[in-house]
Amino acid sequence: HAVSQSRPLLLLIDDLQWADGGTTALLFHLGRRLTGSRIMIACACRPEALDADESDRDAAQGVSTVLHELCRAWGDVMIDLDQVDGRAFVDAYVDSEANCLGESFRQALYDHTEGNPLFTAELFRSFGRDGTLVRNESGHWVEGGPLHWEQWPPQVEAVIAEHMDGLPAEERSLLRVASVQGETFVAEVAARVLGWRVEETVRRLSGPLRTRHRLVEALSLDRLQSSGQRLSTYRFRHFLLQLAAYSSLDAIERAMLHEATARAIEAIYGAENASRRDLAPELARHFEEAALPLEAARCRLEAGRWAIHLVAYEEAIDHLERGLSLLEGATPSRDKAQLELALCLAVRGPAFVQRGRQSPLHIWVVKRLSELIRHPDLQDDPQRLTALMVVARSVNWSADPERGRQVGKQILALAEEEDTASLMEAHLALGHSAWLRGELAAARDHLTQVLALYDQEAHDPWSPLYGVDSSTMGRTLLGYVLWLQGYPSQGRFVLQEALTQAERVGQPSALGFVRLVVGAVTAVLSRDRVSAAVYGKALREHGEVGPVYGAWSGLLAAQAKDVRLDPAPGQGLAISMEPSPASQAIGSGAGQATRLLVEARMCAEAGKTEMGLSTLDRARAWIEGTGVRLMEAEVWRMRGELLLARLPSVPGGTNGAEALACFQRALDVAREQEARWFELRTAVNLARLWQAQGRPNEARRLLGDIHGWFSEGFDTVDLQEAQALLDELARVP
């Protein structure tokens, strides 16, 4: 007091919780005589010591009495360091010395220490010791290399280990069991694993472990709606405490406790579906750590399905892929096969929507589903029908009509009479397969069945499982078939209906599919390149749905340009035909031959006859290799056109004879397929050739017969050309 008369005095008392009776008495005396003096007394005290064991209760009560007296005399003089802003402390500590450490470093330091002063100081100092923090020429701290945040200083680990080792055995066991749940845990789950009464568990957590040892803190008390089950949630005060408790378990203990924890969670949450869905990832983690792959994969399946419901497709893919990887090392069994089938079915939808049909994941899933539907343990599994439907849709996009026919028959055999959705899918698969093979009458019958079975009220028009609903796809293909059969007006009408239906549903993949088909029909069958380019432009917005849409958009735009006006004929064409993953994506189903036909016509118009013939040779080889014969007649017909365009050439020369053979082959194929549209086109080419060869009567008879068959579509380019040629032939004697 005498010293403070001449200068201010600071009296600092550390570790007040260990003060003896004499010290507390002196502090009590000083506290009553501070008025008017220039003395500050600052005391540091661990609050857990104020809740001491019986042996230390007298000392704790002495310190508590002094603290209460100081508060009574001086007001709110207590500062709880647990309540201060930890991030502000981190910034202040870093800035206590000159530095050039930015926001990312400071935030990372706070994230790893949560502002704990001891952890913050020791971790910062450890970076200085190992050279990852260095002083620059100006003496400022800067980052000198990669910072190893996961490596904690021995001083910190020693403090935590000492703290844990000083606990009674029961409380240490409780923390180890709780650590298996994670940084946050539920007391009722820990109690069930330990076989303790919940009341005893809560008493220890909210008592000594919270107040004296300061290792955990209470978060919330909730109840399950269905059962009223109480859930007492706590958390470790720092993740390092949880890590230390968990690290003290050996591998066998961990596996056993993870399984016990998972079983406890299942028992406690019971039929609470909402909670179980949220807990599925946690249960999966426990079962995985317990070396129970089937249980873990089943939980991943549940988590993935719930993520799909929430339209969180990437999260769903992560869960479902993890589930599939868990099954790789599992012992073969019926359960494993059923679970793998369910996981593949679940992941196929988000893989299609999020990553596209050509993505490695989607391709692998469809291939695996094709294998699983032949698995002997799955022949009577209810999921097999769904898997067949998925495979059928995927086959529809591929160049494998025979496989599509087989899958369609399998679905038809499995589908119940009242199961209209499955029947629709069977007829769609069979109709699409027949369409690819060029069997137009059979395709029309099956596709008509699809539309007859469709019920807008009963059938969901959009499912991530398929990408395009059965009705929209069936209507689109039917419009294509009708046009080829010689009913262009009806075909146009049905295609417009499909377009309207897709626009009404607002399903991007369905709308993209219809626009693609209508654009191809408009370009190849209608020969209206300007309108086709309009559909191509509309396809641009579907580029993210799949690369095929972007590729067709570019192709339809390119074929609409008048390449004859290009100052360097064929130059722009070569650029548009340059191979790319996107252009290769066009080549699925009937798309490859159609693409090559468009490109061959562009070659002819650019004066690149040989390039066009080479393109058509590739189309013929592709048709022979795949069995997709839909465009076979048109390929032969156009080959004949290009042969006649070769120079020098005369109607009766070599090129004329070879062209005649091509036209005759095209006519035979078109008649076999009952493709009246291609028969008409080929008849026009043959009639012109015969006219040039002096055979007008044969030309008039051939063209007149097929032209006379038509009853609609007289506004189309093909029928108008045919009529003009007939008029010209009629004037020939």
Side-chain angles (χ1 to χ4, degrees):
H1 192 276
V3 170
S4 70
Q5 300 303 311
S6 59
R7 68 191 67 179
L9 181 64
L10 171 65
L11 178 60
L12 177 61
I13 301 177
D14 198 9
D15 290 320
L16 181 62
Q17 71 277 0
W18 292 334
D20 57 16
T23 303
T24 55
L26 174 60
L27 183 59
F28 182 85
H29 175 72
L30 291 175
R32 297 172 64 91
R33 301 191 57 178
L34 288 176
T35 303
S37 67
R38 295 191 295 172
I39 299 176
M40 172 181 283
I41 301 177
C43 304
C45 176
R46 292 184 182 177
E48 60 264 31
L50 302 182
D51 185 27
D53 294 333
E54 291 293 336
S55 59
D56 298 325
R57 189 169 299 279
D58 290 341
Q61 287 180 344
V63 173
S64 297
T65 301
V66 172
L67 294 180
H68 290 318
E69 176 64 21
L70 292 175
C71 288
R72 187 192 64 78
W74 298 98
D76 187 12
V77 295
M78 300 285 287
I79 299 175
D80 186 350
L81 293 181
D82 287 333
Q83 304 302 318
V84 301
D85 184 353
R87 175 56 199 269
F89 169 77
V90 168
D91 286 333
Y93 184 81
V94 171
D95 290 334
S96 63
E97 296 186 58
N99 70 91
C100 297
L101 301 172
E103 172 63 23
S104 60
F105 173 84
R106 295 162 186 260
Q107 186 61 43
L109 184 58
Y110 172 72
D111 291 340
H112 284 76
T113 64
E114 299 179 7
N116 181 288
L118 172 64
F119 298 165
T120 300
E122 289 298 336
L123 187 57
F124 188 91
R125 291 169 185 164
S126 71
F127 291 149
R129 288 193 296 268
D130 63 21
T132 51
L133 283 184
V134 297
R135 294 186 185 276
N136 62 14
E137 296 177 354
S138 303
H140 292 68
W141 284 110
V142 296
E143 295 185 35
L147 298 167
H148 304 293
W149 294 103
E150 70 283 357
Q151 296 179 3
W152 283 91
Q155 294 89 334
V156 173
E157 294 181 349
V159 169
I160 295 173
E162 182 181 6
H163 211 62
M164 290 288 187
D165 291 342
L167 297 174
E170 294 81 2
E171 293 172 2
R172 193 161 58 247
S173 296
L174 174 55
L175 291 180
R176 295 170 77 195
V177 167
S179 71
V180 173
Q181 294 184 57
E183 189 176 350
T184 300
F185 60 92
V186 175
E188 285 73 12
V189 174
R192 194 176 188 90
V193 173
L194 287 164
W196 291 4
R197 292 173 59 250
V198 174
E199 291 76 9
E200 173 63 16
T201 305
V202 170
R203 186 190 66 79
R204 290 180 180 274
L205 289 169
S206 290
L209 289 173
R210 182 183 70 86
T211 59
R212 181 185 177 199
H213 302 295
R214 311 280 287 179
L215 295 175
V216 301
E217 58 185 13
L219 292 184
S220 63
L221 177 63
D222 303 300
R223 290 186 182 274
L224 294 177
Q225 291 184 355
S226 60
S227 62
Q229 168 69 54
R230 186 175 57 206
L231 302 174
S232 309
T233 305
Y234 293 81
R235 70 179 290 271
F236 286 89
R237 290 181 64 84
H238 196 280
F239 79 90
L240 285 177
L241 299 173
Q242 181 266 335
L243 182 62
Y246 187 74
S247 299
S248 67
L249 300 167
D250 62 33
I252 297 176
E253 287 179 307
R254 288 181 186 177
M256 293 177 62
L257 286 177
H258 274 292
E259 181 179 1
T261 298
R263 304 298 183 195
I265 291 173
E266 289 182 321
I268 289 173
Y269 287 86
E272 193 83 10
N273 291 330
S275 297
R276 286 181 62 84
R277 285 193 295 259
D278 293 338
L279 289 168
E282 181 181 351
L283 284 170
R285 176 177 65 87
H286 290 308
F287 282 128
E288 187 173 349
E289 292 293 338
L292 296 170
L294 291 185
E295 285 86 344
R298 196 168 286 110
C299 292
R300 292 292 178 187
L301 174 61
E302 186 174 356
R305 284 172 171 169
W306 183 239
I308 293 172
H309 176 75
L310 299 175
V311 200
Y313 292 138
E314 280 298 336
E315 181 180 344
I317 290 171
D318 289 342
H319 284 303
L320 297 169
E321 279 193 304
R322 182 60 187 163
L324 287 166
S325 67
L326 287 168
L327 295 180
E328 292 178 0
T331 304
S333 66
R334 179 181 174 85
D335 285 346
K336 176 188 175 182
Q338 290 177 326
L339 187 53
E340 185 177 5
L341 180 58
L343 285 161
C344 285
L345 285 172
V347 78
R348 189 266 173 182
F352 177 90
V353 174
Q354 193 72 11
R355 301 187 183 179
R357 182 174 54 84
Q358 297 293 333
S359 66
L361 175 60
H362 186 265
I363 292 172
W364 178 87
V365 168
V366 173
K367 179 177 181 295
R368 186 57 183 148
L369 282 172
S370 300
E371 297 167 351
L372 287 170
I373 58 179
R374 297 192 293 270
H375 196 290
D377 289 339
L378 298 175
Q379 296 309 298
D380 59 348
D381 192 298
Q383 299 178 108
R384 184 167 176 264
L385 177 58
T386 305
L388 278 166
M389 293 164 70
V390 170
V391 171
R393 277 304 181 91
S394 301
V395 171
N396 285 351
W397 288 98
S398 65
D400 193 350
E402 180 57 29
R403 176 70 176 135
R405 185 177 66 84
Q406 293 173 1
V407 174
K409 285 185 174 181
Q410 287 177 300
I411 298 173
L412 200 59
L414 288 174
E416 302 290 340
E417 186 175 346
E418 64 277 5
D419 184 7
T420 56
S422 299
L423 290 172
M424 284 172 58
E425 206 61 38
H427 283 294
L428 180 62
L430 292 169
H432 186 275
S433 173
W435 176 69
L436 290 179
R437 294 195 304 273
E439 298 171 2
L440 300 181
R444 181 175 177 177
D445 289 343
H446 285 296
L447 296 171
T448 302
Q449 283 276 15
V450 172
L451 300 186
L453 289 165
Y454 177 66
D455 181 352
Q456 186 173 352
E457 298 296 326
H459 297 128
D460 183 3
W462 157 238
S463 169
L465 189 66
Y466 303 131
V468 183
D469 66 279
S470 303
S471 173
T472 301
M473 193 173 194
R475 199 179 303 276
T476 305
L477 297 181
L478 180 59
Y480 203 137
V481 168
L482 287 169
W483 197 310
L484 284 175
Q485 284 188 311
Y487 305 102
S489 298
Q490 295 180 54
R492 258 194 307 244
F493 178 77
V494 174
L495 287 169
Q496 185 58 49
E497 279 188 324
L499 194 60
T500 301
Q501 180 178 352
E503 288 172 344
R504 183 179 66 251
V505 172
Q507 175 188 344
S509 54
L511 186 56
F513 170 76
V514 179
R515 285 173 171 171
L516 186 155
V517 173
V518 174
V521 167
T522 306
V524 177
L525 302 187
S526 180
R527 293 165 61 187
D528 183 353
R529 293 184 291 180
V530 175
S531 296
V534 173
Y535 288 110
K537 184 178 180 180
L539 280 174
R540 291 178 190 170
E541 66 184 75
H542 302 286
E544 293 183 359
V545 176
V548 64
Y549 298 120
W552 265 104
S553 176
L555 183 64
L556 292 175
Q559 59 89 41
K561 296 176 181 178
D562 191 347
V563 294
R564 288 169 296 184
L565 300 179
D566 194 310
Q571 183 177 353
L573 175 69
I575 296 174
S576 69
M577 293 174 60
E578 189 172 333
S580 68
S583 65
Q584 292 171 8
I586 297 178
S588 61
Q592 176 77 338
T594 306
R595 174 177 75 90
L596 293 173
L597 279 168
V598 172
E599 291 181 354
R601 185 174 66 188
M602 293 166 65
C603 288
E605 293 175 348
K608 300 290 185 179
T609 305
E610 296 302 325
M611 183 187 294
L613 287 169
S614 175
T615 301
L616 291 174
D617 286 341
R618 298 204 325 265
R620 286 192 301 147
W622 183 83
I623 289 170
E624 289 300 318
T626 62
V628 179
R629 302 184 62 215
L630 182 65
M631 290 292 163
E632 184 178 7
E634 185 68 355
V635 168
W636 282 108
R637 186 197 68 80
M638 189 172 288
R639 189 170 191 276
E641 273 193 353
L642 289 179
L643 286 169
L644 289 178
R646 233 184 212 169
L647 293 176
S649 175
V650 294
T654 303
N655 288 338
E658 192 175 350
L660 180 62
C662 289
F663 292 145
Q664 192 60 58
R665 177 70 179 271
L667 195 64
D668 292 342
V669 172
R671 287 172 173 172
E672 178 190 349
Q673 296 180 354
E674 298 181 20
R676 298 286 187 179
W677 198 251
F678 289 154
E679 185 180 350
L680 174 70
R681 282 188 178 176
T682 307
V684 169
N685 288 115
L686 265 173
R688 282 178 178 153
L689 180 58
W690 284 345
Q691 180 187 30
Q693 293 176 340
R695 302 162 61 184
N697 292 333
E698 294 176 72
R700 189 164 44 242
R701 186 166 52 252
L702 172 69
L703 186 56
D705 287 346
I706 183 62
H707 183 273
W709 179 91
F710 281 86
S711 59
E712 61 179 69
F714 296 107
D715 59 337
T716 59
V717 174
D718 287 281
L719 279 167
Q720 289 175 352
E721 284 186 355
Q723 182 62 59
L725 182 54
L726 280 173
D727 293 342
E728 184 179 334
L729 290 169
R731 292 191 292 269
V732 177

